[in-house]
Amino acid sequence: MKEKYLELLAQKYDSEEKVVTEIINLEAILDLPKGTEHFVSDLHGEYQAFQHVLRNGSGKVKEKIRDIFKQELSEEQINEFAALVYYPEEKLQLIRDGFNNNEELNEWYETMIDRMIQLISYASSKYTRTKLRKALPKQFVYIIEELLYKNNEFTNKKHYYSTIVQKVISLGQADKLIIGLSYTTQQLVVDHLHVVGDIYDRGPEPDKIMEALINYHSVDIQWGNHDVLWIGAFSGSKVCLANIIRICARYDNLDIIEDVYGINLRPLLNLAEKYYGDNPAFRPKRPSDNLSEQEVLQITKIHQAIAMIQFKLEMPIIKRRPSFNMSNRRLLEKVDYDKSEITIQGKTYALDNTCFATVNPEQPDQLLEEEKQVMDKLLFSVQHSEKLARHMDFLMKKGTLYLKYNGNLLIHGCIPVDEKGNMEKMEIDNKTYAGRELFDIFESYLRQAFRNPEETDDLATDMVWYLWTGEYSSLFGKREMTTFERYFIKDKETHKEGKNPYYYLREKEEICRTILEEFDLDPDQGRIINGHTPVKEIDGENPVKANGKMIVIDGGFSKAYQSTTGIAGYTLLYNSFGMQLVAHQHFSSKEDVLRNGNDVLSVKRLVDEELERKKVLETNMGEKLLQEINMLNGLMRYRYMK
């Protein structure tokens, strides 16, 4: 087998010189500083804020501009130049409209191109020329490389370089060059992006986030509970699908279902119109200003219809999966429909704002024939949406439940533990799992469900729903999901869901060290990077926990949480010098950045500072390069050193 591999490798490196050159190249790369990693989490459909953070590299772009030009430019000019790098097409349009004649505009072009070249040179200083070349706009590679590498020859070639720039301008290519240089800068500032879960739900544009990620140069995803819900629906889980539609109705985002992904909601609306009326508990949160009262009422009816279908669909799963330990969630069986009361854990509560028109008290989990037909049509539509298929395929290709990357553990939710910090055990198919093994079996079932979307009632598909709502799910991390109670019971005591002990034990360094060891990571060097639970900075909560071993980066991208958190999201940067946590303020609009230079204010907190700059050698990429070097050395011995 090894000889066959070496023969294949020899086809690519078909001479001794090529092998030697590649070994030297890879050995040299190992000694370069590691690239910058950018961590974001809990985006929840807030595309506008996310794309701004992506374009400005959580402040890194402006930081580099300031490094180069702080003696030359005012703060206003720095902001203006930064806005050009973030949004080149829109900013160029505004700039052009502000000039009275071409001569002034051409002078501005010359100045901006020169600044862009300086910025590219600085931002690419830790990369090889080959990597830089790949990041450059293809149509301008020759021109940019000539301008980048002028240095010592500038005196002899001054007119040569000047002519290049002037010809670019006179031939009407200046805008295209500046746009290309801007996007190259964005790519160079951040080497790799980590999305630590929850792209979907609550916010209005998760599809645009997915498109941005598909087109991003280097990215991985750690699935969040909301992402898994969408994967589950596409994989054939009707209860996951019902949850998605319910959440979209709750946050006035049904257009994501219907307009973006082309899923026809008319059959569901017809059902809702037949059985449901107005209901204050099901009116959408934060409805759009342009919604009519009739549209709000339609959403309210749809919300009720799909919620009741969801509650019914949950019960057969709970019955056939006793290992899920969720029998207490068969709530429709606990309702006294004559008295409009429910008994939970021996205590009786009045029910308000009920909508039980389609419930058979004798068999409460029974779907009406109309409800069955609606769900069949919806599932068919979901599984035949080309755009959704592309987005879900990408989520599966780039996603995992956890990731070990450059010595750190990236997870969205939690590692289920008991009050003493021991890994919680769960029995699945007559075998017990805990810790890392539990993560692995969860992921294997998720991938199995995705591969077999025609199977709608098998263990794999049920397990995807468990990941959304189960007690030992690493993505949920609570004792139970009290959706039913929140709709129908006023007593907020019943709304409590009981977080897994992980969420207070993660404050302790020894617990975090134990978790890192469970995942075969060095507890002295590694950290856990976590999303899922908003950090309430407004109440003084610190996102850096356990003596720096735990970093929580859900600070409230979702507008629904910003009043609770007091900020608009955390992001994390990790470069060769160490880690920096960035707290963002509310993002007003792209137009505000373009016209007024008002960037999202951010406060950077030093998480740590490396005593020595980390090199590529010490990273995941370094491990891969070492493997390549070993194989090339093997090829040298096999072919050229006999």
Side-chain angles (χ1 to χ4, degrees), residues 34-43 50 53-54 190-197 199 213 216 218-222 398 400 402-411 529 553 557 570-574 579 620:
K34 77 176 284 295
T36 298
E37 297 170 60
H38 193 188
F39 302 78
V40 299
S41 173
D42 296 271
L43 306 173
F50 167 66
V53 167
L54 207 60
V190 172
D191 191 50
H192 186 77
L193 176 69
H194 304 284
V195 181
V196 192
I199 295 164
L213 295 177
Y216 201 72
S218 184
V219 63
D220 58 61
I221 300 166
Q222 292 72 61
K398 293 292 184 179
T400 50
Y402 68 92
L403 181 67
K404 300 192 299 178
Y405 198 93
N406 291 345
N408 299 310
L409 177 63
L410 284 59
I411 58 167
I529 298 165
I553 60 170
F557 261 101
Y570 288 109
T571 56
L572 183 69
L573 296 165
Y574 180 28
M579 283 186 172
N620 284 36

Side-chain angles (χ1 to χ4, degrees), residues 354-382:
T354 56
C355 48
F356 299 149
T358 66
V359 178
N360 175 3
E362 302 300 320
Q363 212 171 344
D365 64 347
Q366 185 180 57
L367 290 175
L368 298 181
E369 190 58 38
E370 296 159 273
E371 291 174 317
K372 290 179 184 176
Q373 291 174 5
V374 165
M375 291 310 297
D376 286 342
K377 289 175 182 177
L378 286 170
L379 183 60
F380 180 86
S381 190
V382 162

Side-chain angles (χ1 to χ4, degrees), residues 499-602:
K499 289 184 178 180
N500 186 276
Y502 168 87
Y503 289 107
Y504 62 82
L505 291 176
R506 68 181 179 180
E507 302 276 353
K508 299 182 178 181
E509 183 178 354
E510 62 268 26
I511 295 295
C512 293
R513 294 177 71 90
T514 299
I515 290 170
L516 288 166
E517 288 175 343
E518 170 70 17
F519 285 82
D520 296 326
L521 291 166
D522 183 350
D524 292 328
Q525 299 296 321
R527 290 176 175 78
I528 302 168
I529 298 165
N530 212 167
H532 189 53
T533 52
V535 176
K536 297 179 181 179
E537 176 156 307
I538 197 171
D539 295 333
E541 184 179 356
N542 191 345
V544 182
K545 304 175 185 295
N547 198 23
K549 289 295 166 191
M550 169 72 65
I551 304 168
V552 183
I553 60 170
D554 179 7
F557 261 101
S558 175
K559 290 178 182 176
Y561 284 139
Q562 287 175 10
S563 61
T564 303
T565 62
I567 58 170
Y570 288 109
T571 56
L572 183 69
L573 296 165
Y574 180 28
N575 61 19
S576 59
F577 292 107
M579 283 186 172
Q580 286 182 320
L581 188 69
V582 184
H584 297 270
Q585 301 306 312
H586 174 69
F587 178 69
S588 55
S589 69
K590 178 169 66 175
E591 288 68 30
D592 193 29
V593 177
L594 288 166
R595 294 188 177 277
N596 306 314
N598 291 336
D599 203 351
V600 179
L601 299 174
S602 60

Side-chain angles (χ1 to χ4, degrees), residues 92 95-96 99 101-117 140 143 147 160-179 181:
L92 282 165
I95 295 288
R96 287 196 305 271
F99 280 104
N101 57 67
N102 285 338
E103 187 176 336
E104 290 181 359
L105 177 59
N106 290 346
E107 287 180 11
W108 181 86
Y109 276 138
E110 286 192 43
T111 301
M112 288 306 113
I113 290 171
D114 179 62
R115 286 179 187 166
M116 286 280 189
I117 292 295
F140 296 116
I143 290 170
L147 296 174
Y160 167 73
Y161 295 125
S162 178
T163 300
I164 289 176
V165 174
Q166 289 170 9
K167 280 299 176 184
V168 166
I169 296 168
S170 66
L171 291 170
Q173 300 300 302
D175 282 6
K176 291 180 181 178
L177 177 59
I178 288 172
I179 290 167
L181 290 170

Side-chain angles (χ1 to χ4, degrees), residues 214-266:
I214 288 170
N215 293 312
Y216 201 72
H217 59 276
S218 184
V219 63
D220 58 61
I221 300 166
Q222 292 72 61
W223 299 312
N225 49 321
H226 289 271
D227 306 321
V228 162
L229 199 58
W230 281 75
I231 294 169
F234 190 77
S235 301
S237 171
K238 291 179 181 177
V239 70
C240 286
L241 175 55
N243 271 280
I244 284 172
I245 298 172
R246 179 183 61 80
I247 293 168
C248 284
R250 185 174 176 80
Y251 289 93
D252 182 24
N253 284 326
L254 287 173
D255 57 330
I256 295 171
I257 301 285
E258 196 154 29
D259 299 337
V260 171
Y261 287 123
I263 296 158
N264 184 11
L265 292 178
R266 174 56 61 178

Side-chain angles (χ1 to χ4, degrees), residues 73 228 237 263 396 419 435 465 487 492 526 558 565 598 624:
L73 303 179
V228 162
S237 171
I263 296 158
M396 295 303 292
E419 288 78 2
W465 173 71
Y487 281 125
K492 291 190 176 181
S558 175
T565 62
N598 291 336
K624 293 177 182 177

Side-chain angles (χ1 to χ4, degrees), residues 48-111:
Q48 298 299 328
F50 167 66
Q51 74 148 348
H52 187 68
V53 167
L54 207 60
R55 288 168 181 255
N56 73 9
S58 286
K60 274 295 176 184
V61 169
K62 186 176 285 187
E63 183 180 295
K64 291 189 180 299
I65 292 171
R66 195 172 278 120
D67 285 347
I68 304 170
F69 299 112
K70 59 187 174 185
Q71 303 299 329
E72 179 183 336
L73 303 179
S74 66
E75 191 63 24
E76 183 180 346
Q77 289 172 316
I78 286 173
N79 289 339
E80 185 89 355
F81 185 42
L84 177 63
V85 177
Y86 305 157
Y87 303 105
E89 294 95 338
E90 297 93 334
K91 190 64 177 177
L92 282 165
Q93 181 64 52
L94 290 174
I95 295 288
R96 287 196 305 271
D97 293 345
F99 280 104
N100 296 318
N101 57 67
N102 285 338
E103 187 176 336
E104 290 181 359
L105 177 59
N106 290 346
E107 287 180 11
W108 181 86
Y109 276 138
E110 286 192 43
T111 301

